[in-house]
């Protein structure tokens, strides 16, 4: 009955869609809940990112990336908050990422330079692909970005510590672990 402003109504609908997804207790229930959402809800960047993060947590990162791909393919057209949501969801779904995503990630880094969430997602994807040098550069950028959420910065530092240990550089690993602990 037009009781809410369009922005308030959209926020309420988004919250209800996310609440519906949060009731799922495994990947199959989440997929079912996703299919039951209205098409408009599935096109909402924040709903899709939330669903993808949950699906990745349930051990289905390939499917999670599939839900993110339509948004990633038009990432430069999204607003900064939406790009961050998609990028952080991709970071959670980086396990087992294939070479087909690497070109997309490189393109996003070029289209939106200096964005911590994108650098974090790229770093996680490059770690998963064993591209250590690229991973380190992106993770260092993410760890230094004070606009990025502390939890993501902490994870970037932890990933950097693991990379340093892998290289046998204990002083750098210790420094990265300390930086993570401070967050």
């Amino acid at each position: 009955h037009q009781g809410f402003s369009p922005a308030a109504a959209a926020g309420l609908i988004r919250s209800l869609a996310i609440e519906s997804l949060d009731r799922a207790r495994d990947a199959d229930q989440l997929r079912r809940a996703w299919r039951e959402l209205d098409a408009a809800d599935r096109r909402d960047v924040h709903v899709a990112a939330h669903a993808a993060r949950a699906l990745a947590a349930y051990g289905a990162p390939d499917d999670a990336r599939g839900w993110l791909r339509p948004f990633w393919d038009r990432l430069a057209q999204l607003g900064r908050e939406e790009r961050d949501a998609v990028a952080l969801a991709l970071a959670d779904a980086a396990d087992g990422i294939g070479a087909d995503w690497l070109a997309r990630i490189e393109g996003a880094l070029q289209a939106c330079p200096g964005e911590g969430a994108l650098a974090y997602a790229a770093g996680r994807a490059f770690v998963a692909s064993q591209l250590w040098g690229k991973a380190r550069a992106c993770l260092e950028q993410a760890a230094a970005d004070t606009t990025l959420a502390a939890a993501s910065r902490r994870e970037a530092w932890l990933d950097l510590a693991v990379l340093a240990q892998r290289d046998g550089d204990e002083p750098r690993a210790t420094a990265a672990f300390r930086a993570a602990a401070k967050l």
Side-chain angles (χ1 to χ4, degrees), residues 132-149:
W132 312 123
K134 286 184 175 192
R136 182 174 296 106
C138 289
L139 291 169
E140 286 171 349
Q141 178 185 340
D145 186 343
T146 58
T147 65
L148 189 60

Side-chain angles (χ1 to χ4, degrees), residues 64-151:
R65 288 190 300 272
W67 289 355
L68 292 173
R69 183 167 176 194
F71 303 102
W72 193 273
D73 287 345
R74 59 184 181 90
L75 199 65
Q77 299 165 1
L78 301 177
R80 176 68 186 263
E81 187 178 313
E82 292 173 326
R83 282 195 305 271
D84 287 355
V86 173
L88 294 174
L90 182 65
D92 286 354
D95 287 342
I97 200 163
D100 59 319
W101 272 90
L102 298 181
R104 285 185 188 93
I105 291 167
E106 293 276 1
L109 289 171
Q110 291 174 1
C112 306
E115 294 189 12
L118 287 177
Y120 176 61
R124 297 292 302 263
F126 293 147
V127 166
S129 299
Q130 298 180 354
L131 297 170
W132 312 123
K134 286 184 175 192
R136 182 174 296 106
C138 289
L139 291 169
E140 286 171 349
Q141 178 185 340
D145 186 343
T146 58
T147 65
L148 189 60

